Amino acid sequence: MSEAFTYVGKSLPRLDGREKVTGAAHYTADLVLPRMLHGWLLRSPYPHARIKRIDSSKAEAFPGVMAVLHHDNVLERVYPPETRPAEQTRFSFSAFDVTNPPPGTLGHSGKYQAVREQVLFPNEVTHVGDVVAAVAAETAEAAEQALALIEVEYEELPAVFDSEEALTDRVLVNTWLKTNVVRVVEVKVGPVEEMLSQAAMTVSGRFRTQKQKQCQLERTCALADVDTAGKITLHAPTQMPHAVRRILADVFRLPMSKVRVVTPNIGGAFGKNIGMSAEPYTVALALAARRPVQVVYQRDEDFIGSESRHPVIMDITLAFAADGTLLCIKANSLLDAGGYATQSGEVTQVHGGYLIRLYKSKSIHYQGTAVLTNTPVSGGYRGYGAPQALFALEQLIDIAAAKLGMDAMELRRKIALKVGDIDPPTRRPVVCSGLEECMDRGAASIGWAQKRGKGRQGRRRRGIGMVIEVSISGTGGLAGFQEKGTAIVKLTEDGSVNITCGATDLGTGVKTAIAQICAELLQVPPDKIDVSFGDTDASPFDIGSHGNRTLFVPGLAVREAALELCKKLTDYAAKMLECDPAKVVLKDGRLHVGSDRSLSISEVVNHGHFNNLEFIAVGVAPVANAAGFGAQFAEVEVDTETGEVQVLRVVSAHDVGRAINPMIVAGQIEGGVFHGLAQALAEEMVVDRQTGQPLNPNFMDYKFLTAADVPNFEAILVQPVDPNGPFGVKGVAQNSTSMAPAAIANAVADAIGAHIHELPITPERVLAALRAAKS
Amino acid sequence: MSATTIDSRFTYRRARSLDEAIALLQEHEGARVIAGGQSLMPMVNMRLVTPAMLVDIGRIQELDYVRVSNNALEIGALTRHLTLEQSPVVRQHCPMLSAAAGYIGHVHIRNRGTIGGSLSHADPAAELPLTALALNATIRTRGPRGVRDIPAHAFFLGVFTTALQPGELVEQVRFPMRTPNHRWSFLEQVRRHGDFPLVAVATILELNGAKIGNAVIALGAVAATPVRAKRAEASLSGQEPTVDGFRSAAQLAAGEVEPSDIIHASAAYRREMVEVYTRRALETAG
Amino acid sequence: MSQRIRLRVNGVEHQAEVPDHLLLVDFLRDELGLTGAKTGCGYGICGSCTVILNDQVIKSCITLAAQADGAEVRTVEGIATQSELHPVQAALIEKGGYQCGYCTPGVVMTATALLEKNPNPSEAEIRAGLAGNLCRCTGYTRIVQAVQDAAVVMRD
């Protein structure tokens, strides 16, 4: 890379540094509005029940209580007569609901209908913790006390907690739906049966993964206000403000222009905030009370009242020719959606994509099914079905390599997606891949050649494992997905810049990287660039932050806008300097003609503003995508007496296209490994199989690991510079999370000589695998 | 969470002495003592307990002491875990106590938590009750009927249950001083740094020349209270310390407890870990 | 049902009448407007509520405001001087030792107290010292590096 950039590629400190390290930054629960009320939610203690009767009269009479809402009264309390529906609007808490993928999506069977079964206050609850009622009061104590005064008579209904049992529909999770199945995705390509019968060697396995919780430190919360004209302002740490705005406008029967969603600083999201959680209740309470209402979940509510990672059962067969050519990927995945469908359909699709995209196969048969159970709702969590998929797929690849007598990396090199191959989700050739370099550098760092297969002796055994992946950069150009990224860039009279975009910064620092992109193009230093994300009043529609998109797509939008502004500046400067626009060069914040004449951006903009010209550009991201590859290597030590696994190193090499800010990207990669390591070894949301009770909705019994439990994580950045992304960027945010469970599982297998098919890899499972391997 | 909440507010009184605290406990139904609050306040915040009053004894400085007296190490009830961990006096005369305290939670907890609080709370998995049992500590209590001394083996009665009568508080804990022929170890298995252990083992081997005189093998987290593995101890008494002897003792120890299934480990696994950790603890001590 | 308390917070004397059951974290946030300390769990595990009380780090979500009577409390808002960030804060920015920033105030307090007591900590000591501060964004790697860097600066 010989380009000399001023700002791109530099590890500049983030622009929000001071406010974050001094505690000045405000998050939603830090905000206080005048006359603000506190909202608390009443939750079902039963996994499945009909509400026969609610009597909230005592709660409503409790001093300080200003609103109580539930199934029987929500329509009168929240809607004025002119907009009041006859029944509660059915909607989905998933923000993706606004995209409602049309036919033609990956594996669409022609019958997909988005499931919109949720209402604000149901009279049939489908999981422990499902919301039954809401209270807004002057103090949190009053709200909490008033909750206990709401009398609810439940009729318990049969419940099902096991996804395979739920698939039979013998017990319905939600009797308003006719089946527990919410989505079936099927992809069949090539002569599957023929390839299976021709195969020289097959490997098969059943794999199971657990329910995992995002555990962002900021507990779920929202703050809603209704102004005197009836306009709602919702402050919430959502990832998808424009989408949420649309759903709320629909539910509350308001014009979208009368609903504003603003995102304060977000205390971590990791996909949880793609789904709505507190938002609709907070708005409902604000409408009923006609005062601002703030809802902050307790930590146990956060566990069970916001979405978590799908448990998945996978049955996979890989069929090979003798030389290692992959003849067939046959995969059947059952995803546990929990009590409501929300975005399970999307996760089922994306999960399947991870199974079938990475390796070239002569035939593919993927069937993915999302099924409801009476457990806390599953939704978006960093990786979005990839960690589960790779946990299974990459272990089978290791097993296949061993059977073929090939090194595990050698097999991957042979069959992985490469430049020139048709990339299934975009149906176009891959144009840029850094996968080889990721593997080379990662393998060298971990000591692949020296250590692989060499540590399998003694009481403490060591092993190394690897995994590779390919992921998307946003959803542009993917068959059937809708991508929408727009940004406004404005120049001001002093030459500083305002950017507004409807995506959100989840805390990743993407706003700084976006500023760097704009800085490079407009030749204005990043600290003169203000980036405003996530205010629906200020920004044009953007689908929001998810799917590795927030630098790639908004970056493209900002690029388009900045390029347009560059042209406006050079054209106008040419007018002012009376020369040919082709002779004007923008450099170092000035517009130069030759070596002797120049104007500052400020002079040009100032002049223009008083001559009827604005320097505002609306940039629309072109439809584009880029395949982001990665290779991750883990080294573990296994205590064969206790089964405990200690992770010694994780090296995660990523083809990031170009690192706009290497420090920010490395931080994303390192932080992503942590989630995957936790999924591999430590974390599980346990739901009692008899009662449906979540048993560990807290940080005591849910093992959120500490700094003393993990090693340093090492990121390697590979930068082949993709032609699609802004300055060559590819999306990366989820990818290190996606790979870590498989990397650790393969490392454990290298250490103990046996693969473990269930997550988390607990000490007991390790001991069981060791004993099975012995006998 | 949700429908079982009642009024979570409580009144607060500060006691300047144990006697004052005892009087307040007697006078007010639903009153509880708070010292460091590191066990109590989480329960209050999670609405697992709803005291009517908290009597704060955390300022009674006279009860925060470590001293050698009457050939014993005397520790005031309000001595913080951090002091136990870092005090040169404790390290010298009762090193197991210092080591055990270092396992408790993390630094924020150790700054505030007290030995009196930990023993009174009697969490079956807690480190200090196990240490008190292993070292044969004496717990001095003060209550409405005066002062009494309770040996550790008679103090811990069940899960979160001690011999403390209503209104009775821990005043001091006395530990025997370590002698040069004592070898000791303290090991615990945790899922995560700072957690309560899944199994904890405290051992003391008293050597008489080449042979073991008395042996103590105390197990924590695997029963309703910390327990001594008496048959395992007896198997070592009078024997030379050998790898085989330790292995047999460990197997015996595992047979002396019946740990239950918990969310993170099955009963069978926990019993197996009793054996593994007992053996490792004995090997460390021996 | 209420207590009169006096305490110094970041060097400023405060007197207040507070409900008996008021938690210190809520006193700091709601009465004094110091919202740096946050409740992330409410039972003393995550460390987002970490403040320094009489030179020791504590979890303010499991401490009563009444228990802080007469105490000297430092919060993240008082760590920087008028003109300069504390070396821990500067190092966190320099090294990228924060992302969403929610755990950061607690990390700043714990790291500051750790380095004040142990100016030359090993990596293991830093990690153990930070075990009461959970972070979900960084994987801890850059937090540890930042503390190591700050230690060097503070020793000079």
Side-chain angles (χ1 to χ4, degrees):
Chain A
M1 275 165 298
S2 54
E3 310 104 320
F5 293 123
T6 319
Y7 304 109
V8 163
K10 306 284 190 285
S11 289
L12 303 178
R14 277 171 51 166
L15 297 172
D16 63 352
R18 182 168 252 274
E19 65 170 330
K20 292 278 167 82
V21 301
T22 59
H26 277 169
Y27 303 79
T28 302
D30 298 328
L31 302 175
V32 179
L33 292 179
R35 304 182 69 237
M36 187 174 81
L37 300 171
H38 298 268
W40 279 57
L41 303 181
L42 184 67
R43 297 180 182 277
S44 166
Y46 301 110
H48 191 199
R50 190 161 289 124
I51 295 172
K52 293 180 66 180
R53 189 182 68 86
I54 298 189
D55 181 349
S56 57
S57 51
K58 295 199 188 84
E60 293 178 56
F62 192 81
V65 170
M66 303 307 293
V68 180
L69 297 176
H70 51 73
H71 182 269
D72 293 342
N73 70 8
V74 58
L75 296 176
E76 305 102 70
R77 302 287 170 90
V78 168
Y79 298 88
E82 54 272 19
T83 62
R84 185 175 301 151
E87 285 181 347
Q88 289 191 71
T89 307
R90 296 264 170 189
F91 64 105
S92 170
F93 273 51
S94 165
F96 285 132
D97 198 45
V98 303
T99 66
N100 189 14
T105 63
L106 177 66
H108 183 261
S109 67
K111 298 197 228 40
Y112 177 52
Q113 269 281 293
V115 180
R116 294 194 181 96
E117 81 283 39
Q118 294 180 269
V119 294
L120 277 177
F121 297 103
N123 63 353
E124 179 180 343
V125 292
T126 64
H127 64 92
V128 171
D130 200 358
V131 174
V132 170
V135 170
E138 299 277 6
T139 64
E141 281 118 11
E144 190 185 355
Q145 285 178 255
L147 276 187
L149 298 173
I150 301 175
E151 293 169 7
V152 185
E153 198 180 313
Y154 294 95
E155 176 196 337
E156 285 185 74
L157 298 172
V160 55
F161 312 118
D162 177 88
S163 55
E164 289 178 292
E165 173 61 29
L167 202 51
T168 67
D169 279 346
R170 278 193 286 262
V171 171
L172 285 181
V173 167
N174 184 342
T175 63
W176 192 77
L177 298 170
K178 301 292 170 269
T179 170
N180 294 329
V181 174
V182 297
R183 181 77 193 270
V184 176
V185 173
E186 186 161 11
V187 179
K188 203 163 182 192
V189 177
V192 171
E193 286 70 25
E194 191 191 321
M195 290 293 106
L196 283 173
S197 63
Q198 274 184 22
M201 183 274 288
T202 64
V203 291
S204 292
R206 165 168 271 226
F207 297 81
R208 304 175 81 100
T209 68
Q210 80 281 48
K211 197 174 222 1
Q212 188 191 12
K213 194 71 186 85
Q214 297 85 348
C215 293
Q216 75 302 328
L217 267 290
E218 176 187 31
R219 298 172 298 173
T220 300
C221 55
L223 167 60
D225 193 11
V226 185
D227 73 12
T228 49
K231 178 173 178 181
I232 295 174
T233 299
L234 173 71
H235 307 262
T238 177
Q239 298 179 221
M240 322 274 279
H242 279 276
V244 165
R245 171 205 208 197
R246 184 161 133 194
I247 296 172
L248 292 175
D250 182 44
V251 170
F252 293 104
R253 304 226 159 170
L254 292 164
M256 281 176 65
S257 56
K258 297 295 191 187
V259 178
R260 177 183 181 199
V261 178
V262 183
T263 52
N265 287 296
I266 296 177
F270 314 114
K272 175 188 78 82
N273 296 347
I274 295 173
M276 293 193 293
S277 42
E279 298 90 334
Y281 309 112
T282 310
V283 172
L285 285 171
L287 285 169
R290 281 340 251 213
R291 282 171 63 174
V293 176
Q294 186 179 62
V295 172
V296 180
Y297 286 11
Q298 302 303 301
R299 180 54 66 175
D300 61 344
E301 292 184 275
D302 188 283
F303 267 96
I304 67 177
S306 65
E307 296 171 13
S308 45
R309 195 187 288 290
H310 286 75
V312 187
I313 301 174
M314 294 159 281
D315 292 296
I316 303 183
T317 297
L318 303 178
F320 292 85
D323 68 351
T325 304
L326 184 54
L327 300 180
C328 184
I329 303 174
K330 188 164 160 55
N332 202 301
S333 293
L334 181 62
L335 286 79
D336 183 342
Y340 291 107
T342 70
Q343 55 191 302
S344 288
E346 285 83 3
V347 178
T348 307
Q349 277 182 276
V350 174
H351 163 82
Y354 280 103
L355 286 172
I356 65 180
R357 183 187 181 194
L358 179 58
Y359 296 113
K360 293 188 302 278
S361 178
K362 297 229 187 289
S363 64
I364 290 170
H365 188 190
Y366 166 67
Q367 185 159 316
T369 307
V371 70
L372 298 171
T373 63
N374 292 111
T375 65
V377 181
S378 307
Y381 185 167
R382 195 172 188 176
Y384 214 76
Q388 303 96 315
L390 294 177
F391 172 71
L393 179 65
E394 287 294 273
Q395 289 202 81
L396 286 175
I397 291 288
D398 264 23
I399 294 168
K403 271 183 150 177
L404 289 165
M406 289 171 83
D407 172 83
M409 186 154 54
E410 192 193 329
L411 177 59
R412 287 177 171 89
R413 283 194 207 272
K414 181 185 165 64
I415 59 175
L417 191 65
K418 293 182 181 47
V419 172
D421 293 335
I422 296 295
D423 193 6
T426 60
R427 298 174 190 163
R428 286 201 295 280
V430 176
V431 299
C432 170
S433 168
L435 179 59
E436 291 291 323
E437 190 180 337
C438 286
M439 284 194 278
D440 291 340
R441 289 171 63 185
S445 176
I446 204 80
W448 180 263
Q450 299 84 341
K451 293 186 180 175
R452 175 80 172 167
K454 305 264 174 48
R456 208 176 292 173
Q457 60 276 341
R459 198 188 83 185
R460 290 183 189 276
R461 302 192 189 167
R462 292 200 172 183
I464 56 175
M466 73 170 291
V467 54
I468 62 173
E469 63 85 34
V470 62
S471 187
I472 53 175
S473 304
T475 48
L478 303 185
F481 276 91
Q482 295 179 9
E483 175 63 84
K484 185 77 168 69
T486 323
I488 297 174
V489 181
K490 293 192 299 191
L491 290 173
T492 63
E493 285 110 80
D494 70 354
S496 60
V497 183
N498 284 98
I499 298 176
T500 60
C501 177
T504 54
D505 186 327
L506 311 181
T508 58
V510 67
K511 282 162 77 167
T512 298
I514 292 282
Q516 287 175 254
I517 289 174
C518 186
E520 194 66 53
L521 290 167
L522 289 176
Q523 290 291 295
V524 171
D527 59 3
K528 289 173 89 177
I529 301 178
D530 179 81
V531 183
S532 163
F533 268 14
D535 179 345
T536 59
D537 265 9
S539 60
F541 185 91
D542 183 285
I543 187 62
S545 295
H546 65 88
N548 297 352
R549 78 181 290 281
T550 313
L551 182 56
F552 186 88
V553 181
L556 283 173
V558 166
R559 183 191 74 183
E560 294 303 295
L563 289 174
E564 188 183 319
L565 286 175
C566 285
K567 183 164 192 320
K568 257 188 166 162
L569 283 170
T570 51
D571 284 355
Y572 197 72
K575 267 210 186 103
M576 289 169 73
L577 294 170
E578 291 170 328
C579 68
D580 175 4
K583 291 205 159 53
V584 182
V585 174
L586 172 58
K587 192 170 159 44
D588 297 328
R590 297 190 72 84
L591 293 120
H592 299 264
V593 177
S595 56
D596 57 331
R597 290 194 299 156
S598 72
L599 294 167
S600 68
I601 291 180
S602 168
E603 284 171 309
V604 175
V605 173
N606 226 342
H607 196 277
H609 275 179
F610 293 100
N611 282 277
N612 213 28
L613 188 62
E614 272 284 2
F615 291 85
I616 300 176
V618 179
V620 180
V623 174
N625 215 301
F629 293 85
Q632 194 177 95
F633 297 80
E635 183 176 7
V636 302
E637 183 173 275
V638 179
D639 184 326
T640 56
E641 285 187 331
T642 66
E644 287 161 311
V645 175
Q646 192 193 351
V647 177
L648 300 176
R649 290 184 68 199
V650 181
V651 176
S652 204
H654 292 263
D655 162 15
V656 303
R658 165 134 34 215
I660 301 294
N661 184 317
M663 182 167 73
I664 290 178
V665 178
Q668 277 295 289
I669 291 167
E670 293 153 14
V673 172
F674 179 71
H675 286 253
L677 183 159
Q679 184 183 6
L681 296 176
E683 293 182 11
E684 180 171 7
M685 270 182 73
V686 181
V687 176
D688 188 296
R689 284 283 156 159
Q690 309 305 317
T691 64
Q693 289 292 331
L695 296 181
N696 61 344
N698 57 65
F699 290 158
M700 277 85 68
D701 296 318
Y702 183 93
K703 299 300 179 183
F704 185 156
L705 298 177
T706 74
D709 295 303
V710 298
N712 281 315
F713 301 125
E714 303 159 61
I716 293 175
L717 304 183
V718 169
Q719 303 185 57
V721 187
D722 190 279
N724 290 288
F727 288 99
V729 161
K730 298 188 189 188
V732 71
Q734 299 180 88
N735 302 346
S736 60
T737 298
S738 301
M739 291 195 277
I744 290 168
N746 278 338
V748 169
D750 187 47
I752 69 173
H755 280 270
I756 292 171
H757 288 222
E758 249 187 287
L759 286 179
I761 295 171
T762 62
E764 283 191 71
R765 290 184 174 136
V766 171
L767 287 187
L770 278 165
R771 279 165 195 153
K774 252 194 219 156
S775 59
Chain B
M1 179 193 76
S2 79
T4 57
T5 52
I6 60 178
D7 193 341
S8 59
R9 297 170 295 179
F10 47 84
T11 53
Y12 169 92
R13 298 283 289 274
R14 186 173 299 153
R16 284 156 301 189
S17 69
L18 275 193
D19 284 329
E20 189 180 337
I22 290 162
L24 284 167
L25 291 173
Q26 298 250 271
E27 202 181 313
H28 297 275
E29 176 141 7
R32 291 179 71 126
V33 149
I34 181 171
Q38 304 300 283
S39 302
L40 179 63
M41 288 308 296
M43 295 201 298
V44 167
N45 287 352
M46 290 190 287
R47 312 296 188 239
L48 296 174
V49 301
T50 46
M53 171 187 282
L54 289 187
V55 177
D56 186 358
I57 60 171
R59 301 290 181 105
I60 306 176
Q61 284 303 111
E62 303 73 40
L63 290 178
D64 182 354
Y65 60 84
V66 171
R67 64 183 181 228
V68 175
S69 176
N70 303 324
N71 202 34
L73 187 64
E74 294 182 342
I75 313 241
L78 287 174
T79 305
R80 313 279 169 168
H81 303 325
L82 187 80
T83 305
L84 299 179
E85 189 190 359
Q86 295 186 345
S87 156
V89 175
V90 177
R91 283 191 180 157
Q92 181 186 357
H93 294 297
C94 202
M96 182 193 285
L97 181 59
S98 177
Y103 278 107
I104 298 173
H106 42 261
V107 62
H108 313 67
I109 304 290
R110 295 196 293 276
N111 281 337
R112 298 289 286 176
T114 66
I115 186 166
S118 176
L119 298 187
S120 309
H121 187 59
D123 188 309
E127 287 86 352
L128 295 186
L130 173 63
T131 306
L133 182 73
L135 292 171
N136 205 18
T138 305
I139 294 136
R140 171 160 291 177
T141 67
R142 180 180 289 273
R145 288 194 288 220
V147 173
R148 55 182 182 133
D149 283 335
I150 308 174
H153 61 79
F155 185 81
F156 303 103
L157 301 182
V159 177
F160 302 124
T161 311
T162 68
L164 290 171
Q165 295 296 307
E168 198 179 9
L169 301 173
V170 174
E171 183 175 72
Q172 179 196 87
V173 190
R174 280 212 317 285
F175 292 88
M177 312 251 282
R178 182 198 174 192
T179 56
N181 64 334
H182 277 184
R183 305 256 185 89
W184 66 274
S185 67
F186 188 100
L187 290 187
E188 62 175 48
Q189 182 188 38
V190 290
R191 260 300 171 270
R192 171 182 60 175
H193 187 98
D195 273 359
F196 281 106
L198 297 170
V199 60
V201 184
T203 71
I204 304 169
L205 300 176
E206 212 181 84
L207 292 178
N208 295 333
K211 297 207 183 185
I212 299 169
N214 281 326
V216 171
I217 300 174
L219 305 173
V222 290
T225 68
V227 293
R228 297 268 298 266
K230 297 252 166 80
R231 288 202 293 275
E233 292 171 353
S235 77
L236 292 175
S237 194
Q239 307 299 318
E240 288 189 19
T242 64
V243 165
D244 284 339
F246 291 157
R247 185 172 296 131
S248 307
Q251 280 168 358
L252 284 170
E256 294 189 64
V257 287
E258 282 182 13
S260 54
D261 286 318
I262 55 172
I263 193 176
H264 296 292
S266 68
Y269 177 80
R270 300 181 74 201
R271 182 176 290 206
E272 208 181 317
M273 291 305 105
V274 171
E275 183 184 334
V276 171
Y277 273 80
T278 301
R279 175 169 44 78
R280 291 183 181 182
L282 290 169
E283 284 166 0
T284 305
Chain C
M1 293 287 280
S2 69
Q3 297 289 313
R4 221 176 242 122
I5 61 173
R6 289 171 71 127
L7 65 165
R8 287 175 75 80
V9 181
N10 299 328
V12 176
E13 174 106 357
H14 292 275
Q15 289 188 51
E17 183 129 355
V18 300
D20 282 18
H21 62 276
L22 186 67
L23 300 173
L24 180 59
V25 65
D26 293 329
F27 173 75
L28 294 169
R29 290 172 56 80
D30 301 337
E31 299 303 316
L32 302 187
L34 299 169
T35 57
K38 301 175 195 310
T39 299
C41 69
Y43 34 71
I45 295 204
C46 80
S48 300
C49 66
T50 303
V51 299
I52 295 174
L53 184 123
N54 295 338
D55 287 335
Q56 292 186 313
V57 284
I58 62 154
K59 303 282 172 94
S60 63
C61 77
I62 52 173
T63 306
L64 296 172
Q67 289 178 294
D69 180 35
E72 188 96 33
V73 176
R74 290 158 73 194
T75 73
V76 69
E77 289 88 349
I79 290 294
T81 67
Q82 289 278 29
S83 49
E84 268 190 359
L85 293 176
H86 187 282
V88 165
Q89 293 170 313
L92 286 169
I93 296 177
E94 180 74 26
K95 266 291 185 306
Y98 74 91
Q99 288 181 30
C100 81
Y102 202 84
C103 76
T104 306
V107 166
V108 168
M109 302 316 290
T110 298
T112 297
L114 185 150
L115 292 177
E116 284 173 358
K117 293 191 200 302
N118 183 358
N120 195 3
S122 66
E123 184 185 326
E125 285 172 327
I126 292 172
R127 285 183 177 275
L130 287 170
N133 292 82
L134 299 181
C135 173
R136 204 58 173 175
C137 295
T138 66
Y140 304 108
T141 296
R142 283 168 188 273
I143 295 178
V144 172
Q145 288 169 358
V147 176
Q148 289 168 324
D149 281 4
V152 171
V153 170
M154 285 168 73
R155 286 202 296 273
D156 292 342

